[in-house]
Amino acid sequence: MANTSFLHLIDCRLCVNIDHVATVRQARGTDEPDPVRAAVLAELGGANGITVHLREDRRHIQDRDVELLLNTVRTFVNLELAAEDEVISLAESWKPGQATLVPEKREELTTEGGLDVSADPVRIADAVARLQGAGIRTSLFIDPDPAAVDASVEAGAAAIELHTGEYANAPHQASADHELARLEDAATRAAEAGLGVHAGHGLTYENVRPVAAIVECEELNIGHSIVSRAVLVGMERAVLEMSALVREARG
Ligand code: PXP
């Protein structure tokens, strides 16, 4: 079983979501880029955890990736999954360090909203009970609403991940400030109820600071922006290496 007893020792964990490394691989159906290698490099860069979303349609991360990551990652794996029997059974057998329950719609580009815990409280509470019964710390990805925080407490979760999408997509500063205040209030409410507070979705190099500054926030999950930056900061070296091969072959 994964040891997550060290989690509280890190002030605010940065968990790197590597789904989109697998998205690029799946676009060609080959074996590169390998999310496991990306996870190792993310850890060398200081990631405190590796997050992957095993979607029902397996559009990016595959079962084999999760199994390899669980054997390779030195920090911990945060497995995002829907409250569906098939993936919960896999999580029960894999025992990642942490599970985050997320809503899932086949047609969505990415996770579009938080879990509506009060719409289906028994199903969510059952999923939490199964995962935590297997020794997996379980978080619920919710919108920053007081009712959603309260419903997460009722569901027996150990933590919540506050959906930062509305903040990230705010059209102007006043609405960003409003969304930040909602995140702060939800974080306070959750921490007072004894829940761990995580946050993520749509966070970028430009907008991360105010969320990272929320004192109760103990974990950030960031994917698209980091993978996007990695493509650009790695491009120059990648082309230099290929160019050197081509020139070498031409004598
Ligand atoms: N947290 C959750 C629950 C998510 O579903 C996602 C997207 O997969 C993220 C965080 C990361 O979002 P982004 O890729 O926009 O950084």
Side-chain angles (χ1 to χ4, degrees):
M1 189 170 296
N3 176 12
T4 47
S5 59
F6 66 91
L7 287 183
H8 68 283
L9 296 174
I10 303 161
D11 190 31
C12 183
R13 300 185 288 281
L14 171 60
C15 293
V16 177
N17 181 315
I18 55 171
D19 290 348
H20 293 314
V21 177
T23 302
V24 176
R25 178 191 61 190
Q26 296 308 109
R28 273 295 175 93
T30 61
D31 60 1
E32 68 173 7
D34 180 1
V36 179
R37 293 186 185 196
V40 170
L41 292 171
E43 286 187 318
L44 287 174
N48 306 114
I50 300 296
T51 298
V52 286
H53 183 175
L54 187 71
R55 297 187 73 103
E56 187 198 359
D57 62 10
R58 305 297 198 270
R59 70 171 72 152
H60 38 55
I61 291 294
Q62 308 296 306
D63 298 30
R64 178 176 177 274
D65 296 324
V66 183
E67 287 165 359
L68 290 173
L69 286 166
L70 287 166
N71 283 303
T72 312
V73 163
R74 304 290 302 261
T75 52
F76 77 106
V77 173
N78 171 32
L79 181 66
E80 294 179 1
L81 72 169
E84 299 293 342
D85 180 58
E86 189 239 352
V87 275
I88 290 178
S89 297
L90 286 171
E92 283 175 317
S93 65
W94 286 332
K95 302 195 195 311
Q98 183 170 279
T100 302
L101 289 173
V102 299
E104 217 175 271
K105 289 193 221 112
R106 261 180 191 265
E107 62 278 13
E108 69 190 358
L109 281 179
T110 179
T111 316
E112 280 164 5
L115 263 182
D116 190 354
V117 185
S118 28
D120 210 347
V122 176
R123 194 167 69 96
I124 303 295
D126 284 352
V128 170
R130 279 180 67 182
L131 292 164
Q132 297 201 146
I136 306 162
R137 180 176 197 267
T138 302
S139 174
L140 302 179
F141 183 53
I142 59 166
D143 292 325
D145 290 324
V149 173
D150 296 349
S152 303
V153 176
E154 285 293 311
I160 48 152
E161 179 177 337
L162 295 171
H163 193 316
T164 50
E166 295 286 329
Y167 159 78
N169 296 328
H172 43 71
Q173 191 58 47
S175 63
D177 291 346
H178 172 73
E179 291 302 330
L180 183 64
R182 288 181 66 212
L183 290 165
E184 288 167 342
D185 290 347
T188 305
R189 192 177 187 96
E192 280 173 5
L195 296 176
V197 179
H198 311 163
H201 208 282
L203 295 177
T204 65
Y205 294 81
E206 290 74 31
N207 67 21
V208 71
R209 282 167 170 267
V211 178
I214 297 174
V215 281
E216 294 88 355
C217 188
E218 59 185 48
E219 177 181 305
L220 293 178
N221 282 287
I222 308 181
H224 188 260
S225 190
I226 292 177
V227 174
S228 303
R229 176 73 58 112
V231 171
L232 293 189
V233 298
M235 182 62 85
E236 188 176 350
R237 177 161 162 201
V239 174
L240 278 170
E241 288 176 7
M242 183 61 85
S243 171
L245 281 176
V246 171
R247 271 186 274 108
E248 196 185 290
R250 305 289 297 183

